Amino acid sequence: MVRRRVLLVAPATSYNAVAFLDAAARLDVEVVLATDRCHQLDELFAFPPASLVIDLAAPQAAVEVIVAESRRHTGNPIAAAISAGGESAALVATMAARALGLPHNAIAAVEAARDKRRMRELLAAAGVSQPRFVETDLEEPAHSVAARIHAELGFPCVIKPRLLSASRGVIRVDDELSLARGLARLRALLSRPDHLEMDLHGDGSSRSILIEEFVPGAEVALEGVLDRGILRTLALFDKPDPLDGPFFEETIYVTPSRHPIELQRAIEELTAAAAGAMGLHDGPVHAELRLRPTGPMVPVIIEVAARSIGGLCSRVLRFGTGLSLEEVLVHHALGHDIGAMPREHAAAGAMMIPIPSAGVLKSVDGVDVARAVPGIDDVVITQDLDRQLVPLPEGASYLGFVFAHGATPATVEASLRAAHAALRFTIVPMLPVR
């Protein structure tokens, strides 16, 4: 019997590409991996034999590589396209699916999920609850930006790059002084060559900055799948740590949510409305929402991504007879019914260990103690020793992840906090360059 083949598009730095490869292996599905790996990684990672080298910053050229590979296997064509690890990979996977005649979202919808300004415009046109916003660029002086904030938004507000994700470059500013400092940091970040090449259409989007009103309140994340425009919620995560800035490192995710059922339904309905306004109708969605404390809490869309949850957080999710999130998504991509795959009843959670300071990681202690905390499933350190660490807002990675299960969300949260408290990281400052 011929094994079905799926395309997996992933950056070489993706945390969860391996999870998709493992899921496909368990389902006896062959994977064509398309990644922007470089030859230096070949000795460090066992890439599948059928893996393709593509440039995610050149999506049309990447699609041509994928289509050419598909034509070499006409007897067993690629049956589905999946992405792992970021909006650029999601765009290439969608473009490849269209070129191969496979089910896919509209290209414009996936581009809107990648482009924060376009997402905001579409949500505003549809009347979807979201922060008020204005736009600036690297050239507008800080005093001019401050004048517009006073006129249209008011402080505090949040400045963020139009194209970056994972909280990279997202800064809360409370007054004109912190605005000037924040804009200076963004100018340095957005002037890097690797960011400038994200401007796929030559419209200056890589140099664009959104300024949004700061929405106070708790934050939640919804993990779901769209099936012909209908949203199926796979998990709703609470984020019990306050995310008030000045930077927005993600830490603890716990599911099921402890918010009232009526509020959870409102979160789901708003996410579905946002996805519809953006034109998304098929595949995974990961949404971030704030719960504005206006008497009864009211959900507000922060972002909607056309991909699954990042990092290694999906490890805590199990569905049906023990399927991973990635197995569920492979099933969906292949057209299988996932309606009979509910999430397990046990509470679960993950902690993304933030980088506390810039420098070089010299040692990690307490991992065995952290793993011994009741309820902890595992502790995974993802950074190598002697590696330079870059925290938010310039950085885009974590020290590692902690995973837990328990009887209630409260016990899971307590286990994660106890495990994190047991960890010790020695980070030495970088020597100044003269």
Side-chain angles (χ1 to χ4, degrees):
M1 181 177 178
V2 177
R3 299 169 68 201
R4 301 190 76 181
R5 302 169 76 228
V6 299
L7 170 70
L8 177 64
V9 181
T13 55
S14 171
Y15 280 111
N16 57 351
V18 172
F20 276 101
L21 293 173
D22 290 344
R26 288 191 292 269
L27 297 175
D28 196 28
V29 172
E30 181 181 342
V31 174
V32 178
L33 175 65
T35 182
D36 60 348
R37 81 178 197 257
C38 62
H39 65 278
Q40 285 92 343
L41 292 176
D42 289 350
E43 296 179 359
L44 303 176
F45 183 80
F47 290 95
S51 61
L52 307 173
V53 178
I54 60 171
D55 183 357
L56 291 173
Q60 189 55 53
V63 171
E64 291 171 5
V65 172
I66 293 166
V67 170
E69 195 281 337
S70 180
R71 287 173 178 162
R72 289 193 291 270
H73 297 81
T74 55
N76 186 17
I78 292 172
I82 304 170
S83 69
E87 281 63 36
S88 294
L91 178 59
V92 170
T94 302
M95 293 174 63
R98 181 179 67 175
L100 296 171
L102 302 173
H104 62 281
N105 282 305
I107 302 299
V110 179
E111 287 186 325
R114 177 180 180 269
D115 183 335
K116 292 180 175 61
R117 188 193 74 183
R118 184 59 182 149
M119 179 190 69
R120 289 274 174 256
E121 291 171 342
L122 291 171
L123 297 188
V128 175
S129 177
Q130 64 171 347
R132 292 174 296 127
F133 71 100
V134 297
E135 186 180 15
T136 185
D137 57 35
L138 300 185
E139 283 69 42
E140 185 174 5
H143 66 84
S144 172
V145 178
R148 290 207 288 142
I149 290 173
H150 282 300
E152 300 182 50
L153 300 178
F155 288 103
C157 57
V158 175
I159 58 176
K160 60 173 63 171
R162 179 172 161 184
L163 297 183
L164 291 180
S165 59
S167 299
R168 192 177 181 205
V170 182
I171 305 172
R172 170 176 163 161
V173 294
D174 296 325
D175 49 35
E176 294 187 24
L177 178 59
S178 59
L179 171 67
R181 290 172 176 168
L183 290 174
R185 294 185 79 159
L186 287 191
R187 289 190 183 100
L189 176 62
L190 301 189
S191 297
R192 297 177 182 177
D194 63 330
H195 179 70
L196 292 174
E197 70 179 7
M198 296 179 70
D199 186 351
L200 302 178
H201 302 295
D203 58 0
S205 56
S206 64
R207 301 175 64 80
S208 176
I209 299 169
L210 284 192
I211 306 168
E212 301 176 354
E213 66 168 316
F214 173 73
V215 179
E219 192 161 311
V220 296
L222 184 145
E223 194 70 17
V225 172
L226 288 165
D227 184 2
R228 288 164 288 187
I230 304 301
L231 176 68
R232 176 164 184 257
T233 299
L234 299 177
L236 181 60
F237 291 97
D238 291 342
K239 303 182 185 182
D241 283 340
L243 293 169
D244 292 332
F247 314 127
F248 295 87
E249 30 290 285
E250 304 255 50
T251 52
I252 294 177
Y253 275 45
V254 178
T255 190
S257 174
R258 285 170 275 185
H259 292 293
I261 293 298
E262 296 79 9
L263 180 57
Q264 294 185 41
R265 291 198 186 103
I267 292 167
E268 293 175 351
E269 291 169 1
L270 185 63
T271 301
M278 294 164 64
L280 297 170
H281 68 87
D282 182 75
V285 290
H286 177 77
E288 308 280 347
L289 303 93
R290 285 274 179 149
L291 306 178
R292 196 193 295 268
T294 54
M297 288 187 285
V298 176
V300 176
I301 290 287
I302 301 300
E303 289 187 9
V304 177
R307 55 166 175 79
S308 59
I309 191 170
L312 298 179
C313 295
S314 67
R315 287 192 183 184
V316 300
L317 298 176
R318 286 291 178 269
F319 301 87
T321 57
L323 299 178
S324 68
L325 172 65
E326 290 76 19
E327 287 174 276
V328 171
L329 296 180
V330 172
H331 272 297
H332 172 78
L334 290 172
H336 302 160
D337 181 14
I338 62 171
M341 302 177 186
R343 198 190 76 80
E344 65 181 357
H345 294 297
M351 181 174 190
M352 292 160 276
I353 306 171
I355 296 173
S357 61
V360 176
L361 181 63
K362 302 305 293 186
S363 68
V364 179
D365 299 296
V367 172
D368 289 340
V369 175
R371 285 177 176 150
V373 171
I376 294 298
D377 300 325
D378 199 5
V379 177
V380 178
I381 305 301
T382 53
Q383 300 289 346
D384 296 327
L385 296 182
D386 295 320
R387 180 172 179 174
Q388 182 180 355
L389 302 177
V390 181
L392 288 175
E394 289 79 11
S397 59
Y398 297 92
L399 283 168
F401 299 83
V402 185
F403 310 101
H405 279 79
T408 67
T411 58
V412 168
E413 180 184 342
S415 296
L416 292 170
R417 294 193 187 283
H420 182 239
L423 298 172
R424 296 289 182 270
F425 300 95
T426 301
I427 301 171
V428 300
M430 292 283 293
L431 295 176
V433 177
R434 295 183 179 180

